[in-house]
Amino acid sequence: MTGSKTLFEKIWDAHAIRVSENGESLLYVDRHFIHDGTSQAFEKLELAGHGVRSPHKTFGTADHYVPTRNGLDGLTDPARRAMVLRLEEDAKRYDIRCFGFGHQHQGIVHVIGPELGLTLPGFLLVCGDSHTSTHGALGAFAFGVGASEVAHVLATQTIWQARPKTMRITLDGHAGVGVTAKDMILHIIGTIGAGGATGHVIEYAGSGIEALSMEGRLTLCNMSIEAGARAGLIAPDDKTAAYLKGKPFAPSGADWDHAVAHWQTLASDGDAAFDREVRIETDNISPTVTWGTSPEDAVPVTAAVPDPQGEPDAERRARMIRALDYMNLKPGTPMEAIAVDRVFIGSCTNSRIEDLRAAAEILKGRKTRIPAMVVPGSMIVKAAAEAEGLDRIFAKAGVEWRDPGCSMCVAMNGVDVVGPGERCASTSNRNFAGRQGRAARTHLMSPAMAAAAAVAGRIVDPRKPLPGGA
Amino acid sequence: MKPVRKIHGLAVGLEMANVDTDQIVPARYLYRNRSEGFADTLFHDMRSDPQGCERDSFPLNAPEAEQATILVTLDNFGCGSSREHAVWALVDAGFQAVIAVSFGDIFRNNAHENGLLPVVLEEHEVMHLLQHVKSGPAKLTVDLETQRVRLPDGTCFSFDIDSAARENLLLGRSKIDATHSLMSTIDAFEEAYLGRHPWSE
C-alpha cells in the first residue's frame, strides 16, 4: 500500500533536506559524537578552512586510547596520551561539550550516548566509529562514518547518503536458558554472513526482540555492522521510554510528553514492505561462540570446530583453512575442549550493568584459573556496579576491575593487549586477526560464557554447572 | 583531492574475502597525523611476520608490486572498523582503484572522499582478473568516464557506480565544499525541523 513506511523510512524522510540530481540525499544530523580518535577529522576541517556549525549538537568522550588503570599514568606512550588530551583541546577550541578522561560521564561513546539520554528515538545520529549502529536499539538511525564525513558533519550538521535498502530480521519465539542477545546476534551473523546485510539497514522485530531488555537490544544492534549493515534499528516501545525517562539529557516536562507521543508514531506500519526479510527461530539459538577470524565463524558452544573439507565453496574453504591456521585449531575439536589464556569482559557490545551482573552471577564464590579483567563501559556503569558490590565479587574471584574504555577490544591504548599467540575469551565484537593484539586469537562470546571460561580455563557451556559457587 | 579519470597501470591480486580494515591498517598505527603518511602500515601484519621479515607469499611483496596502482580482491573488502586510515594507506602506497566483488559500506564512502575508486564487478569477472594477475602484477585499465575495466587482450567489463560518487571523483571534489553552498537551505530546514522536534535542540 502506498504511504506505508518502515521505521527507517520515517526517520530518513523526516531528515531529508534535499535530494541531489544524482539521487543522494542531504540529511540533517540530530546528534554527533566524537572520541579520542577524531583528531584527523579536526585536521581535515582546519585544512578545508571550516568551523563547527552547531557545537551544541556534538558531544565528545575519551574511550579508544584511555588507560584502564593507574589514571593517566597508566598510559605510558606519549603519542597515545596526546590523543586523549588532543580531544579535550579540540573540543575546547570549538566549544564542544566533552566528557574527557576522569569526567563522571566519561565512557565508551556507544555506552554513554544511550545512558545519558543523548541518543533518542527518531534521531539521525552519526559518529566516527563503526559500532555507532548500537544506538539504533533506541529507534534512532545511527551509523558510523570516516574522518572526512566527521569533518563534513562538524562543518554543516548534515551528511550526504545514498538511500540504503531495508531488511527485516524477525526473531520470534523464546530464548532458551543461557541464551543472551550476544548469542542471538552471533547466530544471526553466522546465518546471513559477515557481508550478509551490506547496503542494508536492518530492523530487528518479533517477540524475541520485544522481550529483550534495553541492554540486550544495544548488544544486538551493536553488532549489526559485523553483518555489513549500514545500521540496525528496533522500534521504540514502552521499555525504550521507561529507559530514557529521567536520564540527564533526556527531554523533560512538556518536551518529554511531545517526544513520547512522537516516538509512538515511529514503528513500521503494519503493511510496510522491506527489500529483504529474514526469519530466525529464537528457540533454535544456543549459547554461541566463534572459532575463526570473522564474526560469521559462529557455532553453538556444544558444536565442534568445523572441517573445511566439508565446505563446497573453494574460496570459503580457503578462508576457513587460513582462519584455522591463524587460530591454531584442528577441525573436529569440540569447542568446549579449547583452552583459553585470558578473559576480557567489556567493550561497547557487552560492558553495561546487565552484562556485568551476568558475569558476576557466574563468578560469585568461584575462583578464576586464568587472568581475567572486567572493564565497565562508563563511569556511570562503574559506579552502579560498585553500588551493587559487583566489584567485590570480581576481586574475590581474582578478576581485575578496571576503569572504563575500549580497552582490550581494540588494543589501542598500547597496554590492554592480548599477547602474540595468546587465546582470549572475549565479550567484544571482532575476532579479526590481530584485533586484540598482534597474532592474538579471539573467541567472541557472551559475558556469562566468558566468566565461565575464566573459571574453567577453557570454553564451556555456561548452562552447565561449574564447581563451587555461592 | 586529485581527480580520477582513467587509471592505466599495474594491478596486483589479493585473493581473499572479508579483508577487514584492521588487516589493512592495524589499530596501533592510527594515532599518526594524516601528514605523516600511512603507506608503511598498509597490510602491515599480513606483509611481514612478527619478527619483521617480509612474507614471500604475500602478493604485494613482489618487487614489481611496488608500482601497482590497482588492487583486485574478493567480497566485502574493507569491512569492519570505520577508520579512514585504511583508505589513506592505500592512497599513500600509490593505489588509485580497488576492484572487488563487494565493499564494506563505510570503506566505500571513505574511498570516494579520498580519490580512491572502488569498482564492483561480478564474481566471475573478478576471478578472470585474478587469473590475469596470478603470476604477478599485470597491466589493466580502469576508466571511470566509460565505467569500464579493460585487459590488454581487449576483454572488457563494465561497472556501475553511484552517480554522485562518480561526479565527485571525476571532479576531484570533496562533498564539504559542495554542501557549504547549500547553507541557507540547511538553515531553513533546521528551523522547521526543530519546530517539530524541539527536544532535538
Side-chain angles (χ1 to χ4, degrees):
Chain A
M1 197 180 103
T2 49
S4 297
K5 286 182 184 178
T6 66
L7 163 63
F8 159 72
E9 286 160 346
K10 290 179 189 182
I11 301 175
W12 179 280
D13 291 350
H15 291 81
I17 299 167
R18 63 181 283 158
V19 182
S20 72
E21 286 163 17
N22 38 41
E24 271 199 321
S25 294
L26 183 65
L27 303 168
Y28 183 71
V29 176
D30 292 286
R31 191 72 79 219
H32 178 216
F33 289 110
I34 56 171
H35 53 73
D36 48 352
T38 313
S39 64
Q40 290 108 344
F42 282 105
E43 243 187 295
K44 191 147 186 150
L45 191 73
E46 278 149 32
L47 272 176
H50 296 296
V52 176
R53 179 179 180 271
S54 313
H56 62 291
K57 290 188 159 281
T58 293
F59 289 79
T61 191
D63 55 6
H64 282 70
Y65 288 96
V66 295
T68 58
R69 63 174 165 187
N70 303 330
L72 256 194
D73 291 342
L75 198 51
T76 46
D77 176 31
R80 291 175 164 91
R81 202 185 165 103
M83 291 299 278
V84 175
L85 301 175
R86 176 83 192 266
L87 167 72
E88 294 187 38
E89 290 159 18
D90 287 330
K92 198 171 171 190
R93 185 148 30 104
Y94 290 104
D95 204 20
I96 292 167
R97 190 142 183 185
C98 180
F99 311 129
F101 188 78
H103 191 283
Q104 58 167 349
H105 289 158
Q106 178 265 337
I108 304 173
V109 62
H110 311 309
V111 174
I112 69 153
E115 81 181 0
L116 292 175
L118 287 167
T119 304
L120 295 177
F123 268 13
L124 192 148
L125 183 156
V126 299
C127 171
D129 189 275
S130 59
H131 290 109
T132 306
S133 59
T134 312
H135 306 254
L138 282 80
F141 174 40
F143 53 96
V145 296
S148 294
E149 290 184 319
V150 167
H152 188 281
V153 174
L154 286 169
T156 68
Q157 204 56 35
T158 66
I159 189 160
W160 288 100
Q161 290 285 295
R163 193 176 182 120
K165 293 189 176 130
T166 56
M167 176 177 194
R168 177 162 58 188
I169 300 184
T170 305
L171 285 98
D172 276 325
H174 298 283
V177 175
V179 175
T180 68
K182 182 62 162 285
D183 303 296
M184 291 181 187
I185 190 63
L186 286 173
H187 178 88
I188 290 169
I189 300 163
T191 304
I192 68 174
T198 301
H200 290 74
V201 165
I202 299 173
E203 180 176 337
Y204 300 97
S207 57
I209 301 300
E210 287 158 24
L212 284 176
S213 65
M214 288 314 294
E215 283 86 351
R217 294 178 188 184
L218 288 159
T219 298
L220 192 82
C221 289
N222 171 271
M223 288 188 70
S224 303
I225 181 70
E226 309 315 334
R230 196 86 189 96
L233 297 89
I234 294 171
D237 58 10
D238 293 345
K239 263 186 207 175
T240 317
Y243 171 87
L244 284 168
K245 196 167 175 67
K247 296 271 192 255
F249 291 87
S252 57
D255 262 358
W256 170 261
D257 297 334
H258 288 143
V260 172
H262 174 66
W263 300 343
Q264 285 165 349
T265 67
L266 290 173
S268 292
D269 297 327
D271 50 358
F274 291 80
D275 295 307
R276 271 180 75 194
E277 294 264 14
V278 173
R279 286 190 174 276
I280 305 250
E281 290 302 323
T282 314
D283 302 75
N284 294 343
I285 301 174
S286 306
T288 301
V289 58
T290 63
W291 57 267
T293 55
S294 166
E296 71 180 21
D297 300 335
V299 291
V301 67
T302 50
V305 175
D307 188 346
Q309 297 319 315
E311 172 56 51
D313 179 74
E315 192 287 316
R316 172 141 175 87
R317 191 161 59 240
R319 205 188 68 69
M320 287 173 78
I321 291 167
R322 275 201 308 275
L324 288 174
D325 178 55
Y326 181 87
M327 295 297 290
N328 192 28
L329 289 174
K330 288 194 172 57
T333 308
M335 289 307 295
E336 288 197 89
I338 298 172
V340 294
D341 302 305
R342 64 171 59 248
V343 171
F344 169 64
I345 297 172
S347 86
C348 56
T349 313
N350 280 127
S351 64
R352 297 176 185 84
I353 190 70
E354 192 178 271
D355 301 317
L356 306 193
R357 286 182 192 137
E361 197 177 315
I362 300 270
L363 291 165
K364 195 168 190 176
R366 298 193 168 91
K367 290 277 180 207
T368 54
R369 296 164 68 113
I370 50 176
M373 61 198 266
V374 177
V375 183
S378 68
M379 294 293 265
I380 289 178
V381 172
K382 185 170 193 245
E386 290 176 355
E388 291 180 22
L390 303 186
D391 58 325
R392 293 190 291 282
I393 295 174
F394 296 139
K396 275 190 190 158
V399 176
E400 284 189 67
W401 174 240
R402 298 287 190 98
D403 296 323
C406 300
S407 184
M408 205 176 264
C409 168
V410 67
M412 276 169 75
N413 70 7
V415 281
D416 298 347
V417 175
V418 177
E422 273 190 345
R423 194 179 294 285
C424 182
S426 180
T427 67
S428 54
N429 39 58
R430 290 189 172 134
N431 51 351
F432 298 159
R435 170 81 178 179
Q436 293 193 288
R438 186 153 197 193
R441 300 179 174 122
T442 303
H443 294 276
L444 303 176
M445 60 187 73
S446 70
M449 201 191 291
V455 172
R458 60 179 174 86
I459 295 173
V460 283
D461 187 336
R463 296 170 298 190
K464 291 182 186 166
L466 284 162
Chain B
M1 201 166 90
K2 236 169 72 180
V4 180
R5 288 182 177 275
K6 195 184 228 181
I7 302 152
H8 182 72
L10 277 182
V12 61
L14 185 60
E15 198 171 340
M16 291 182 190
N18 294 334
V19 176
D20 56 76
T21 55
D22 274 82
Q23 306 313 303
I24 304 174
V25 180
R28 63 182 183 275
Y29 299 115
L30 302 187
Y31 58 77
R32 286 187 190 176
N33 288 329
R34 176 70 192 95
S35 54
E36 289 174 68
F38 290 89
D40 61 315
T41 69
L42 179 64
F43 299 122
H44 187 281
D45 295 353
M46 297 170 96
R47 284 185 102 127
S48 60
D49 65 22
Q51 285 72 45
C53 294
E54 284 203 348
R55 292 183 229 264
D56 290 340
S57 58
F58 193 69
L60 272 80
N61 285 339
E64 322 85 80
E66 255 182 59
Q67 304 305 318
T69 53
I70 302 162
L71 181 71
V72 185
T73 184
L74 294 170
D75 300 83
N76 207 20
F77 184 79
C79 61
S81 156
S82 58
R83 60 189 71 165
E84 199 157 314
H85 313 64
V87 171
W88 298 336
L90 284 159
V91 169
D92 292 354
F95 285 95
Q96 297 172 40
V98 181
I99 302 173
V101 181
S102 63
F103 289 95
D105 282 339
I106 308 176
F107 176 89
R108 203 193 46 227
N109 284 348
N110 289 342
H112 294 157
E113 284 289 315
N114 289 276
L116 179 71
L117 172 60
V119 176
V120 175
L121 290 180
E122 295 289 331
E123 188 169 357
H124 68 92
E125 296 169 335
V126 168
M127 294 316 285
H128 187 100
L129 294 180
L130 284 169
Q131 196 58 39
H132 172 62
V133 298
K134 202 167 182 80
S135 50
K139 281 185 179 163
L140 203 63
T141 303
V142 182
D143 190 334
L144 178 57
E145 282 189 312
T146 61
Q147 295 180 222
R148 281 172 195 278
V149 175
R150 205 160 62 89
L151 283 88
D153 68 1
T155 311
C156 239
F157 303 123
S158 61
F159 62 90
D160 282 331
I161 181 165
D162 179 83
S163 61
R166 177 176 179 274
E167 194 182 324
N168 284 339
L169 284 164
L170 284 170
L171 295 171
R173 184 177 65 182
S174 111
K175 288 178 188 170
I176 200 165
D177 297 318
T179 311
H180 243 268
S181 64
L182 297 171
M183 216 34 103
S184 58
T185 312
I186 295 170
D187 291 344
F189 177 91
E190 184 176 58
E191 198 185 336
Y193 177 85
L194 293 178
R196 290 190 303 273
H197 309 88
W199 56 88
S200 169
E201 184 47 78

